[in-house]
């Protein structure tokens, strides 16, 4: 295969983007080389035209042409690779397939071997095998059909053919090894071991293929989710920008209106004040004239003249009633100032709340879980328990929101026998089934030491014991003292803790079921890639007292929204 120099050449012919040998190579102005399609796609997906290697930015997108020199070198390199790979493949095939085993003694033209001697560890043709038939010492040697790589088929300790396999120690054995050191071990023939291991490889290959398919499906689902997320993110940005732009426009409009109204009111007040002042000045002039006349009249000593000059009408001129006029512009300004300040403060509070929500969204997983829970809670449904499905040892509250184990007696009475009831599991279903939708409900479990909660199909087995395994028609988590396991996989813990309130979310079409610790917004477990073909009913099992006092009920509670 390739030498170190070839490896260096191979590195030089790899495109930095696709990591494969150049196809239609082009060179950027900064001197780096890429496949034409790779650099074109890269620039199509980035807002700035720059080199992926050195990050040099180009104001104008370069008009790239295929570098014929690098293209010819890459073609020659690929030709050498194909030739080397062909030679290597042919040599490997020849070595693996083998063909006829040749005589180890022949010096000129090698003859085909007819036997291999385990003691001599040599293969012989008819001519060179003749001493083993004639010589007394050689007659005792063990002859077998011709074997390639004979030295690898012989036990180094006993010089016997390796024909057995120890499954305990995973080693090849000769018959002496099996008798002396592997008496109590599981020893089988090499042929049987070969078949079993081939079968194991087949099973493993099938599992690997299944794992590949599962991961491909996950990748596809993730890509679809990313695409959906991109679309939704663009919508949120567009709507948010539009709403905020509209809000800014409304604020600017209010600002202009405020300035306009305040200036108009101020102008009206000034005009009113000017008019009042002008009237007052006129009245002052008239009053001053009146005061002069009164002084002259007062100084008259002649009684006859005084009485003849005394006016018949009022001594005072006509004036404005000052009590009917008020100018309290200061009070109006203070009122509008307080009102405006209150409105602005409320708007600032709303903006701060919005900024807080945006900041929370950019924080850690706990906040993401809170966001996820808030999303799920919008699909809240009203769950009422179905007494016809309840086990005889369970009692239900009158409103169908609580169920507990009562050993045949309790505050709410014993359930009547019904063909739809569970006879083995201490379980009850909800009255309403769901399909082709999303739904969410919450259950208060308090300090119970054991319970089981989830969803079940309408056809779930109700008579006798329900087998715990995939395909049983029940997707549930089972709580035991301080740990969780799924109903379908017993004795396999999936979560630890002791929550008081559980949130259950089902995405029927998406094939997913989530269980959350409602207080801490922690995901307990999620069933994924489920395939539902019938309606799903909420499943409740308060369990018995196997792990201590456990008589408290499971309570379906209204959803309290996440803050």
């Amino acid at each position: 295969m390739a030498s170190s120099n070839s490896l260096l050449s191979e590195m030089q012919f790899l495109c930095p983007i696709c990591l494969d040998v150049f196809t239609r190579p082009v060179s950027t102005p900064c001197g780096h080389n890429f496949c034409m399609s790779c650099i074109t796609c890269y620039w199509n997906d980035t807002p700035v035209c720059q080199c992926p290697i050195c990050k040099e930015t180009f104001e104008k997108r370069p008009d790239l042409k295929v570098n014929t020199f690098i293209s010819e070198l890459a073609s020659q390199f690929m030709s050498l690779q194909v030739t080397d790979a062909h030679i290597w493949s042919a040599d490997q095939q020849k070595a693996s397939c083998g063909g006829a085993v040749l005589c180890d003694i022949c010096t000129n033209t090698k003859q085909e071997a007819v036997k291999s001697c385990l003691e001599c560890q040599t293969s012989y043709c008819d001519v060179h095998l003749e001493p083993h038939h004639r010589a007394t010492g050689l007659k005792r040697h063990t002859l077998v059909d011709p074997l390639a790589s004979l030295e690898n088929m012989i036990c180094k300790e006993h010089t016997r053919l390796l024909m057995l396999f120890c499954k305990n120690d995973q080693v090849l054995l000769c018959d002496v090894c099996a008798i002396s050191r592997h008496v109590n071990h599981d020893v089988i023939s090499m042929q049987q071991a070969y078949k079993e291991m081939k079968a194991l490889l087949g099973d493993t290959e099938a599992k690997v293929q299944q794992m590949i398919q599962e991961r491909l499906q996950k990748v596809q689902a993730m890509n679809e989710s990313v695409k959906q997320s991109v679309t939704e993110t663009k919508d949120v940005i567009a709507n948010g920008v539009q709403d905020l732009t509209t809000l800014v426009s409304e604020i600017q409009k209010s600002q202009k209106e405020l300035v306009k109204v305040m200036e108009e009111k101020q102008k009206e007040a000034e005009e009113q004040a000017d008019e009042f002042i002008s009237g007052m000045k006129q009245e002052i002039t008239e009053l001053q004239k009146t005061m002069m006349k009164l002084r002259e009249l007062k100084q008259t000593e002649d009684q006859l003249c005084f009485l003849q000059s005394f006016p018949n009408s009022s001594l005072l001129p006509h004036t404005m009633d000052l009590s009917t006029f008020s100018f309290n512009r200061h009070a109006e300004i203070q009122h509008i100032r307080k009102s405006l300040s209150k409105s602005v403060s409320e708007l600032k509070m709303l903006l701060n709340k919005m900024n807080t929500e945006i900041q929370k969204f950019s924080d850690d997983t706990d906040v993401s879980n809170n966001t996820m829970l808030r999303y799920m809670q919008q699909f809240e449904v009203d769950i009422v328990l179905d007494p016809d499905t309840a086990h005889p040892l369970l009692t239900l509250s009158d409103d169908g929101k609580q169920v507990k184990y009562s050993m045949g007696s309790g505050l709410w009475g014993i359930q009547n026998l019904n063909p739809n009831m569970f006879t083995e599991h201490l379980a009850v279903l909800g009255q309403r089934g769901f399909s082709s939708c999303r739904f969410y409900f919450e259950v208060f479990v308090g300090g119970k030491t054991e319970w089981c909660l989830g969803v079940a199909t309408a056809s779930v087995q109700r008579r006798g014991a329900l087998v715990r395994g995939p395909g049983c028609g029940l997707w549930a988590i089972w709580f035991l003292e301080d740990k969780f396991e799924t109903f379908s996989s017993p004795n396999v813990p999936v979560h630890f803790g002791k929550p008081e309130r559980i949130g259950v979310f089902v995405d029927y079409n998406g094939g997913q079921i989530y269980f959350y610790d409602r207080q801490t917004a922690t995901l307990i477990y999620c069933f994924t890639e489920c395939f539902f073909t019938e309606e799903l009913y909420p499943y409740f099992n308060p369990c018995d007292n196997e792990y201590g006092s456990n008589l408290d009920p499971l309570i379906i509670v209204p959803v309290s929204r996440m803050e």
Side-chain angles (χ1 to χ4, degrees):
M1 289 298 289
S3 63
S4 59
N5 290 333
S6 298
L7 180 60
L8 179 59
S9 299
E10 182 177 358
M11 295 292 289
Q12 294 172 338
F13 287 111
L14 296 184
C15 171
I17 296 178
C18 67
L19 301 181
D20 203 349
V21 177
F22 287 121
T23 301
R24 301 185 67 210
V26 295
S27 300
T28 60
C30 57
H32 293 105
N33 304 313
F34 307 89
C35 297
M36 171 73 84
S37 59
C38 293
I39 191 63
T40 301
C41 292
Y42 178 83
W43 282 344
N44 289 339
D45 294 336
T46 56
V48 179
C49 185
Q50 62 180 6
C51 174
I53 303 300
C54 65
K55 304 302 181 184
E56 180 176 346
T57 302
F58 311 113
E59 294 183 359
K60 181 180 178 181
R61 185 164 175 169
D63 184 16
L64 301 179
K65 305 294 183 182
V66 175
N67 190 319
T68 56
F69 177 75
I70 298 177
S71 180
E72 291 176 1
L73 289 180
S75 299
Q76 294 178 13
F77 174 75
M78 289 295 293
S79 300
L80 290 175
Q81 270 197 327
V82 171
T83 303
D84 289 344
H86 176 74
I87 296 173
W88 179 84
S89 176
D91 290 342
Q92 288 293 100
Q93 183 177 5
K94 182 177 179 180
S96 59
C97 295
V101 178
L102 302 179
C103 176
D104 294 325
I105 307 300
C106 294
T107 55
N108 294 324
T109 302
K110 291 282 188 179
Q111 299 297 318
E112 184 175 342
V114 295
K115 290 292 181 182
S116 295
C117 177
L118 300 185
E119 283 76 14
C120 299
Q121 297 189 22
T122 305
S123 296
Y124 300 99
C125 62
D126 281 329
V127 175
H128 295 114
L129 182 64
E130 191 273 335
H132 279 74
H133 296 308
R134 176 172 45 81
T136 304
L138 296 178
K139 286 183 178 180
R140 291 193 294 269
H141 286 193
T142 304
L143 299 177
V144 297
D145 290 335
L147 295 173
S149 302
L150 185 59
E151 65 278 3
N152 296 328
M153 301 293 295
I154 304 300
C155 174
K156 299 297 186 293
E157 183 177 355
H158 304 110
T159 320
R160 306 279 292 180
L161 185 64
L162 298 173
M163 299 181 297
L164 304 173
F165 181 78
C166 177
K167 298 176 69 174
N168 299 77
D169 297 335
Q170 296 288 301
V171 293
L172 288 167
L173 310 172
C174 68
D175 52 355
V176 178
C177 291
I179 295 174
S180 60
R181 299 178 183 174
H182 300 263
V183 177
N184 297 322
H185 289 188
D186 188 2
V187 177
I188 58 177
S189 67
M190 184 186 297
Q191 291 82 356
Q192 183 180 352
Y194 175 78
K195 291 180 181 179
E196 290 182 3
M197 289 189 174
K198 286 275 284 187
L200 178 61
L201 287 179
D203 294 341
T204 304
E205 182 182 6
K207 290 181 180 178
V208 171
Q209 184 64 29
Q210 180 182 357
M211 293 171 68
I212 292 173
Q213 292 300 322
E214 290 174 351
R215 281 149 182 80
L216 288 174
Q217 292 174 2
K218 284 288 187 182
V219 170
Q220 182 180 359
M222 182 61 69
N223 287 332
E224 293 175 354
S225 178
V226 169
K227 290 180 181 178
Q228 181 181 359
S229 176
V230 169
T231 302
E232 293 176 350
T233 298
K234 290 181 178 178
D235 290 341
V236 170
I237 293 174
N239 294 334
V241 170
Q242 181 179 356
D243 292 342
L244 291 175
T245 302
T246 302
L247 179 60
V248 171
S249 177
E250 291 294 329
I251 292 175
Q252 292 174 343
K253 182 179 178 181
S254 297
Q255 177 183 341
K256 292 179 180 179
E257 186 68 20
L258 173 66
V259 172
K260 177 183 177 182
V261 169
M262 292 300 294
E263 288 179 347
E264 288 178 351
K265 287 293 184 181
Q266 181 62 29
K267 184 177 180 181
E268 291 178 3
E270 290 176 357
E271 290 176 352
Q272 183 181 7
D274 290 342
E275 182 180 353
F276 176 78
I277 293 172
S278 177
M280 288 298 100
K281 287 181 179 179
Q282 291 179 4
E283 289 186 358
I284 290 172
T285 302
E286 292 296 324
L287 288 172
Q288 288 175 343
K289 291 179 181 180
T290 301
M291 186 175 65
M292 294 296 295
K293 290 180 180 181
L294 291 176
R295 286 179 179 176
E296 290 178 358
L297 183 60
K298 186 178 178 183
Q299 293 175 356
T300 303
E301 297 292 338
D302 187 342
Q303 295 180 357
L304 178 63
C305 184
F306 175 82
L307 292 175
Q308 288 177 343
S309 301
F310 197 88
N312 297 326
S313 60
S314 174
L315 297 176
L316 297 177
H318 178 72
T319 58
M320 185 186 304
D321 186 0
L322 295 181
S323 63
T324 62
F325 181 83
S326 64
F327 188 83
N328 195 11
R329 180 64 178 163
H330 176 73
E332 293 182 1
I333 294 176
Q334 290 299 318
H335 174 73
I336 191 66
R337 177 181 294 169
K338 290 181 180 179
S339 178
L340 183 62
S341 177
K342 181 180 178 182
S343 299
V344 171
S345 296
E346 292 175 353
L347 181 58
K348 285 182 177 179
M349 289 177 61
L350 292 175
L351 290 175
N352 288 335
K353 184 177 181 180
M354 181 181 68
N355 291 332
T356 301
E357 290 297 322
I358 295 174
Q359 185 61 40
K360 284 182 178 179
F361 186 73
S362 66
D363 285 344
D364 56 19
T365 305
D366 292 338
V367 177
S368 298
N369 284 339
N370 286 334
T371 303
M372 188 66 177
L373 260 180
R374 284 196 297 270
Y375 165 77
M376 293 176 176
Q377 287 176 336
Q378 67 179 317
F379 298 100
E380 178 188 7
V381 293
D382 183 26
I383 303 297
V384 178
L385 301 176
D386 184 1
D388 291 341
T389 63
H391 188 279
L393 295 182
L394 297 182
T395 54
L396 275 60
S397 62
D398 292 336
D399 61 0
K401 296 292 186 179
Q402 302 185 31
V403 57
K404 72 175 184 176
Y405 172 66
S406 60
M407 301 182 64
S409 63
L411 297 175
W412 307 315
I414 305 175
Q415 305 303 311
N416 296 323
L417 295 177
N418 188 289
N420 294 323
M421 70 168 50
F422 288 91
T423 61
E424 185 74 18
H425 284 261
L426 298 171
V428 61
L429 299 180
Q431 289 182 350
R432 178 185 173 190
F434 300 89
S435 63
S436 301
C437 66
R438 299 182 179 97
F439 62 95
Y440 176 88
F441 60 93
E442 290 185 3
V443 180
F444 181 77
V445 298
K448 290 178 65 63
T449 57
E450 182 185 10
W451 48 265
C452 187
L453 189 65
V455 293
T457 59
S459 62
V460 66
Q461 181 180 340
R462 306 184 193 185
R463 297 288 178 175
L466 181 60
V467 178
R468 297 184 64 178
C472 64
L474 174 61
W475 294 266
I477 55 172
W478 200 308
F479 174 73
L480 300 164
E481 295 187 287
D482 62 350
K483 66 178 180 294
F484 289 86
E485 60 187 48
T486 63
F487 182 85
S488 57
S489 299
N491 303 319
V492 181
V494 296
H495 186 76
F496 291 90
K498 196 168 185 179
E500 294 184 350
R501 190 177 181 124
I502 303 297
V504 182
F505 174 75
V506 179
D507 183 353
Y508 189 99
N509 294 330
Q512 297 177 321
I513 305 172
Y514 293 83
F515 296 88
Y516 271 88
D517 180 343
R518 175 59 183 76
Q519 274 69 32
T520 62
T522 301
L523 178 63
I524 297 174
Y525 189 76
C526 176
F527 292 96
T528 59
E529 298 182 2
C530 304
F531 182 69
F532 306 123
T533 58
E534 42 183 315
E535 286 189 326
L536 298 179
Y537 290 80
Y539 172 93
F540 302 82
N541 186 336
C543 299
D544 54 20
N545 292 335
E546 181 179 355
Y547 295 93
S549 179
N550 193 38
L551 297 180
D552 292 337
L554 293 175
I555 305 174
I556 304 169
V557 293
V559 171
S560 56
R561 304 296 176 186
M562 297 293 296
E563 296 299 333

